[in-house]
Amino acid sequence: MTGDKPYEHRVASHCESGSVRNLLLHAGLDISEAAIFGIGSGPAFYYLFFAKGPSGFPLVGVRNRPGMILKNVARRLDIGFTFKKHRTTQEALAQANACLDAGEPVIACVDMFYMKYLPPFLRVHAPFHFIVLCGRDGDTYTVSDPYFKSLAQLDLQDLTVAWSTFAPMAQDNFLCRLERLPKSVEWKRAIKVATVKTCKEMVLPPVVRDLLPFVGVQGMRTYSKAMTEWPRRYRGVKLREGILMSAVGFEDQGTGGGAFRLMYGAYLDEAAHRLASPALKELAAQMTSHGQAWRETSRKLIRVGKLVPMQEERFDHWALSDQPALVAQGLEEIAGDFRRAADFEQGFFQKLGSAVRAL
Amino acid sequence: MIIATKADKHDEGWRIVLYDQEAHGTGSAAPTLTHAEFHEEIDTYYQQRQLERERLYAELIEGKTSPVGFFLMLQGMDVKDVAKRMKLRPGVVRRHLTPEGFASATVEQLRRYARIFDVSVADFFWFARCSDGVSVEVRSDASGLLQLVDLSPTGQGSAGERS
């Protein structure tokens, strides 16, 4: 283990905010994961119809771009993080080794597929998974992965291939070190700046919304429309897996449930306490209920997905039964839920923006 | 490559952090370390993957796809993604998905594919099913080209294990 102080590993819902929380905790600054996520302007919605996600369906992002939480937190809490996408893995490794040998844990962004300690359903080719490297013994690295219950081991070969994939959207050879903690945290300023930014990104101005119909609340509406097309666009295992894994992705794959909305509710609640704001407290409760509603919609997705047969060869026979109509009807209902969720979020983030500006 | 004959089983002990409204009775969401709610779906996912593995294996044996295609589809990747990772044109990767095109891939290309799929180059050339009562341990050498296969009666190794 690095340094004199033993590294305290804590699990978290989300890899990036969890890794930042763990690194700060090691340095002596204890901030909750929800606060890191909120200050990092985490909540978002992107329906990237042009990119395929791990579920086999187009990629849906329910948080901001990988790496942005880290950068936003650094700027807004005045934390001296240095981050760099190194040109080569050798260069990144040399830097990481120097830090680890000096007792300094670092954050790396890797492809989750090569994290062999994770269960198979999480081992997907997602090259934007954040971990803390907190020690090494020769070519074996000690990894603090917020998804895993304890510290894990990763050998050099796996780290190398996971760190530099050249994949689309990958943060290849990304390394982050903590150089300086702030003398004091200006919570009010940080909460105001972060929350207003989230509100602006979720509810784009009408003209921009038309130009970028896959972003923010408009993205949710576009996604809801696309959802009703799934039975025509996909068939067999692809359709079943796509529906089921969309729900698992919203809930159990590092979001804290309700596509990060429950975690954001927790952040707003914490912000309300820090700033003694009843208005924010009320909005926190609304966001938490919204997160629970999202969770219920995910359960509906699961029920609909299960109607599709598991075996590819049974699909043609199934397609002639009354089941496809039930799937179409179910997806129609879920699309309605997403449209209502978009309407809610549009109103909510407008109200939240006004409330925070008034603080 | 050992083709598993049974689906993975979701680890009941697997826990995730969920933000739960009810857990603390305050109306606000707080983190709780808990079971994944959708563990049944994860098990179903494993069963689907197993069926997909069987289907792709059948396609491979019938000559409808190549070993590269087998792993690409099994791991839910697409041609564009693999092409970027391989630093090849998508058309070249697409060609490698057919048995004829696969025959034209170079050893260096196969080594890069193997790195991406986390297998060894040898895994592209043999596919075996393992009967009950036999455990198999497969180790790759550092080059990723060679494999050492240990077969033993159950209890003296672990089926399908790779290291």
Side-chain angles (χ1 to χ4, degrees):
Chain A
M1 201 53 51
T2 57
D4 295 334
K5 190 180 170 192
Y7 181 89
E8 184 185 342
H9 171 73
R10 286 192 194 172
V11 289
S13 285
H14 176 231
C15 62
E16 188 175 344
S17 38
S19 292
V20 174
R21 192 267 317 266
N22 286 352
L23 195 67
L24 290 176
L25 182 69
H26 179 73
L29 184 60
D30 192 358
I31 302 180
S32 72
E33 183 195 10
I36 299 279
F37 183 74
I39 298 294
S41 291
F45 194 95
Y46 294 96
Y47 172 58
L48 304 179
F49 55 87
F50 43 82
K52 197 182 127 192
S55 72
F57 278 15
L59 197 63
V60 175
V62 284
R63 48 146 303 179
N64 59 358
R65 254 184 320 122
M68 284 314 290
I69 290 178
L70 189 48
K71 288 173 187 167
N72 289 339
V73 165
R75 211 169 42 234
R76 291 168 190 165
L77 298 183
D78 188 30
I79 295 171
F81 281 124
T82 53
F83 17 76
K84 187 173 176 187
K85 273 171 88 171
H86 290 272
R87 277 177 47 247
T88 63
T89 313
Q90 281 66 33
E91 197 181 291
L93 272 172
Q95 173 78 69
N97 289 346
C99 291
L100 294 175
D101 294 346
E104 189 189 324
V106 290
I107 293 179
C109 184
V110 294
D111 187 335
M112 202 149 78
F113 182 78
Y114 305 96
M115 305 298 109
K116 292 178 179 169
Y117 47 84
L118 291 176
F121 82 98
L122 281 177
R123 288 193 55 203
V124 291
H125 285 283
F128 26 77
H129 180 55
F130 288 82
I131 55 173
V132 178
L133 301 175
C134 58
R136 75 172 183 129
D137 182 5
D139 284 350
T140 304
Y141 289 80
T142 304
V143 172
S144 166
D145 186 330
Y147 291 173
F148 197 59
K149 62 187 173 199
S150 56
L151 291 174
Q153 306 291 316
L154 194 63
D155 68 36
L156 175 65
Q157 210 180 331
D158 288 329
L159 177 61
T160 307
V161 67
W163 213 352
S164 178
T165 61
F166 305 102
M169 291 185 285
Q171 303 274 320
D172 284 343
N173 303 315
F174 177 91
L175 185 75
C176 166
R177 337 173 18 205
L178 174 62
E179 290 195 330
R180 174 184 52 79
L181 287 178
K183 288 196 183 83
S184 63
V185 175
E186 273 190 63
W187 283 106
K188 187 171 181 178
R189 194 187 125 267
I191 289 168
K192 282 182 83 163
V193 171
T195 312
V196 167
K197 177 81 174 156
T198 302
C199 296
K200 279 186 182 165
E201 284 175 353
M202 281 305 297
V203 186
L204 300 171
V207 180
V208 185
R209 223 180 290 165
D210 292 343
L211 289 171
L212 300 170
F214 51 90
V215 180
V217 293
Q218 200 58 28
M220 290 168 74
R221 295 187 180 109
T222 308
Y223 177 64
S224 74
K225 250 185 242 166
M227 185 178 282
T228 57
E229 297 287 319
W230 288 349
R232 278 186 289 278
R233 286 195 171 190
Y234 306 98
R235 48 172 286 124
V237 170
K238 221 173 179 183
L239 177 63
R240 184 184 164 102
E241 243 180 49
I243 296 175
L244 293 181
M245 292 317 277
S246 294
V248 173
F250 285 143
E251 304 301 331
D252 285 356
Q253 283 181 320
T255 68
F260 288 109
R261 271 54 184 169
L262 286 165
M263 202 198 296
Y264 198 63
Y267 155 71
L268 291 176
D269 198 49
E270 199 179 318
H273 280 292
R274 282 191 189 279
L275 306 182
S277 164
L280 220 47
K281 177 94 185 151
E282 167 58 27
L283 288 165
Q286 285 181 26
M287 180 45 75
T288 304
S289 301
H290 172 58
Q292 297 284 5
W294 195 306
R295 213 161 158 69
E296 196 43 54
T297 302
S298 298
R299 291 187 185 111
K300 285 186 195 170
L301 264 174
I302 293 283
R303 286 197 286 275
V304 168
K306 279 182 171 172
L307 295 173
V308 183
M310 206 189 290
Q311 278 131 320
E312 192 76 29
E313 54 274 19
R314 279 181 50 209
F315 188 78
D316 287 334
H317 179 68
W318 175 86
L320 300 172
S321 70
D322 58 352
Q323 297 287 299
L326 291 176
V327 170
Q329 195 184 326
L331 288 175
E332 207 49 79
E333 190 191 322
I334 293 164
D337 286 356
F338 272 101
R339 278 193 297 275
R340 280 187 289 281
D343 293 344
F344 167 81
E345 290 201 2
Q346 182 161 345
F348 175 86
F349 283 109
Q350 282 166 343
K351 270 191 279 180
L352 178 63
S354 310
V356 167
R357 281 187 196 98
L359 286 172
Chain B
M1 170 82 187
I2 304 288
I3 300 290
T5 49
K6 284 187 186 123
D8 285 318
K9 194 91 186 104
H10 182 50
D11 176 9
E12 293 287 327
W14 178 251
R15 298 282 188 281
I16 58 170
V17 176
L18 278 179
Y19 282 73
D20 195 340
Q21 189 174 27
E22 271 79 41
H24 298 259
T26 57
S28 54
T32 314
L33 190 63
T34 181
H35 286 280
E37 178 180 340
F38 300 117
H39 59 91
E40 256 183 58
E41 283 63 44
I42 295 167
D43 258 341
T44 309
Y45 169 75
Y46 288 152
Q47 288 164 28
Q48 280 172 203
R49 289 284 93 205
Q50 176 61 18
L51 291 168
E52 187 65 353
R53 195 180 291 134
E54 299 278 342
R55 188 183 70 81
L56 290 169
Y57 176 65
E59 281 198 358
L60 184 70
I61 300 305
E62 286 167 28
K64 289 183 183 165
T65 190
S66 73
V68 170
F70 174 87
F71 287 108
L72 183 144
M73 287 184 270
L74 189 65
Q75 296 184 6
M77 301 181 84
D78 64 16
V79 169
K80 234 166 59 184
D81 182 6
V82 173
K84 271 206 95 176
R85 289 170 188 251
M86 286 288 290
K87 296 184 187 168
L88 289 175
R89 288 194 310 278
V92 177
V93 173
R94 219 167 278 126
R95 199 162 62 233
H96 291 158
L97 302 187
T98 64
E100 301 75 32
F102 175 70
S104 70
T106 65
V107 173
E108 182 46 35
Q109 284 170 340
L110 292 182
R111 195 202 295 261
R112 274 154 56 201
Y113 278 123
R115 252 169 75 103
I116 292 169
F117 300 138
D118 191 30
V119 296
S120 85
V121 172
D123 281 319
F124 292 133
F125 297 97
W126 68 279
F127 290 80
R129 287 166 164 285
C130 189
S131 55
D132 284 349
V134 178
S135 292
V136 187
E137 193 180 334
V138 184
R139 284 193 298 275
S140 296
D141 76 334
S143 71
L145 289 175
L146 303 176
Q147 285 185 327
L148 176 71
V149 182
D150 282 330
L151 299 172
S152 58
T154 305
Q156 294 179 26
S158 45
E161 187 183 317
R162 296 187 67 251
S163 58

